Amino acid sequence: MKVAKKVALIGASGFIGSRLLAELSARGHAVTAIVRSPEKVAVLPGVTAVKGDVFDKDGLAALLAGHDAVISAVHFTASDPQTLLAAVRQSGAKRYLVVGGAGSLEVAPGVQLFDTPEFPAIYLDEARKGGAFLDLLKQEQGLDWTFLSPSALIQPGERTGTFRLGTDQLLADAKGNSSISAEDYAIALVDELETPTHSRRRFTVGY
């Protein structure tokens, strides 16, 4: 039987954050949903919504204190990795899980997805900043972190519970399609929270 954890979820009302919130609640975890607008957070069992600012290190650290784990589901272009990491360190939380992007996954030896001509320019800044955040995490000495990259296409869909896990290479099916539903992504990340198997490294999920 899994032991319920006290989890701080930063960005709980967003596209991925809201799916993570639902998955955490359904599995019986106690969640502090940290957002700019608490009224936008879904009312779910075990969830407490609080207002927080990702650029306020001390204020954020105070909100994170006392939790078993912190999950960050905020856009890399709408936050500062140094501030987030400093707040998590200051809070005393030992486990830090990050919603990553697909852009820094390898599509060939030494070639990342965001370096390919087909990569949409509109997502390039976010993708490169996600890659920089991962590089920063790899230098982290004290935190037990995990960075979960989705497949190239992540969108609303079914919660199937059937998917594949990988490491640093983009997952694709036999036809070259690379996708995952946001709901199944949430399963993979909460699985990692409950049973850590990718400590201090990145992994990826896809069909």
Side-chain angles (χ1 to χ4, degrees):
M1 181 178 178
K2 296 289 193 301
V3 176
K5 295 182 182 295
K6 190 173 183 185
V7 183
L9 175 57
I10 307 169
S13 61
F15 168 49
I16 304 298
S18 60
R19 270 76 178 180
L20 286 168
L21 187 69
E23 187 70 25
L24 288 162
S25 173
R27 297 202 202 183
H29 297 291
V31 188
T32 301
I34 301 171
V35 292
R36 286 176 294 184
S37 305
E39 67 277 5
K40 293 183 180 179
V41 175
V43 178
L44 295 168
V47 172
T48 302
V50 298
K51 185 178 178 62
D53 181 353
V54 294
F55 294 102
D56 176 7
K57 176 177 70 70
D58 293 338
L60 186 58
L63 294 176
L64 301 179
H67 291 84
D68 299 312
V70 176
I71 300 177
S72 178
V74 293
H75 286 293
F76 300 115
T77 51
S79 59
D80 175 67
Q82 298 280 9
T83 302
L84 286 171
L85 282 169
V88 176
R89 282 192 223 102
Q90 186 175 318
S91 75
K94 301 301 183 187
R95 187 99 169 95
Y96 184 41
L97 298 101
V98 179
V99 173
S104 57
L105 290 167
E106 286 190 345
V107 292
V111 180
Q112 293 171 295
L113 181 61
F114 56 46
D115 290 326
T116 62
E118 300 81 16
F119 194 83
I122 191 172
Y123 300 126
L124 194 54
D125 190 29
E126 176 74 12
R128 291 198 182 281
K129 287 186 175 176
F133 196 174
L134 178 58
D135 290 340
L136 195 63
L137 284 169
K138 289 176 179 177
Q139 301 169 32
E140 188 60 37
Q141 298 299 314
L143 285 177
D144 181 6
W145 61 269
T146 298
F147 186 100
L148 176 54
S149 290
S151 290
L153 179 63
I154 182 168
Q155 57 189 355
E158 291 184 46
R159 183 187 184 281
T160 70
T162 302
F163 45 76
R164 294 182 293 148
L165 300 180
T167 53
D168 291 311
Q169 290 73 42
L170 183 72
L171 292 174
D173 64 18
K175 295 181 179 179
N177 298 314
S178 175
S179 67
I180 188 71
S181 72
E183 289 74 11
D184 278 343
Y185 177 96
I187 292 177
L189 192 60
V190 180
D191 283 351
E192 177 67 25
L193 168 75
E194 294 179 345
T195 308
T197 54
H198 300 88
S199 179
R200 300 184 60 78
R201 58 194 173 106
R202 182 251 293 276
F203 74 113
T204 186
V205 58
Y207 296 133

